[in-house]
Amino acid sequence: MNFFEHQAAARRTSAWLVVLFALAVAGIVLVVDLVAWAFTRSSGALVFFSVATLAVIGFGSLYRIASLRGGGEVVALQLGGVPVPEDTTDFNLRRLRNVVEEIAIASGVPVPRLFVLEHEAGINAFAAGYSPSDAVVAVTRGALDRLNRDELQGVIAHEFSHILNGDMRLNIRLIGVLFGILMLGIIGRKVLFYGGRGRDSRSASAVLLAALVAIVVGAIGLFFGRMIKAGVSRSREALADASAVQFTRQTQGLAGALKKIGGLADGSNLNDRGNAEEVSHML
């Protein structure tokens, strides 16, 4: 299999994993229906709970995707990114800009907006946006301080592959779908905390039981969502690695960056665990 056949295979794998994500959503609906049937033995209740579950996931996903309509800049700012000025005189930031402009020429992609995650000591980067016109590339301060020029070039070329291959739109959609699945668990936790107050014991027990079911179903959805998200990331990351070599015409830079990630205590970890979980497939 040659290089371009590997690229095509990675794209087919990603498409299949997106289908599996949809099947995971169907599995959540099935679990909810099984619980509803166990308590009601009513086909009408199955229809109601199926529609309600899909509505929660669907509206949660649409809400999260709508909140990201500003494109990659919204994601970068959410993670604490600081814009890199075009006229910066800082050595590391100037080097970053020079490398980005070089890879933009090599890949034929417009120069994206640049952000630095100043409070992140780990080595990491991501590209985000809906299209090359609103794309951003963000790198951690650890990447700027710890990578030499060739290594930084390999990392940036890797991120340009995500822009060129359309991975960013897929990644933002996955953020939305994952949030939709999380909605069940979020609702369950809120109901568990507030729902039993001021009610009689029978009503309170029913509310708490529903909340526990929502939390369990949300946890199941999150588990499978993480698995599928990791699978999408793995196939796309392999394609981006190959494209990085295509753009830079050398392997030492990207290999050196990966070795440093493996050898450092901070590795590629981010301190902002809450937001990092949501965008982990982009990192």
Side-chain angles (χ1 to χ4, degrees), residues 89-138:
T89 57
D90 178 277
F91 173 79
N92 283 337
L93 297 183
R94 187 72 260 164
R95 184 183 63 169
L96 172 64
R97 277 212 160 271
N98 292 341
V99 167
V100 167
E101 289 167 3
E102 290 170 5
I103 301 301
I105 294 171
S107 63
V109 173
V111 177
R113 292 195 63 189
L114 300 179
F115 287 80
V116 175
L117 309 184
E118 289 287 1
H119 303 295
E120 299 292 349
I123 299 173
N124 220 318
F126 67 86
Y130 284 101
S131 67
S133 62
D134 70 3
V136 307
V137 169

Side-chain angles (χ1 to χ4, degrees), residues 53-69:
T53 302
L54 288 173
V56 169
I57 295 174
F59 284 116
S61 298
L62 290 174
Y63 164 78
R64 189 67 183 105
I65 291 173
S67 71
L68 297 170
R69 64 183 179 274

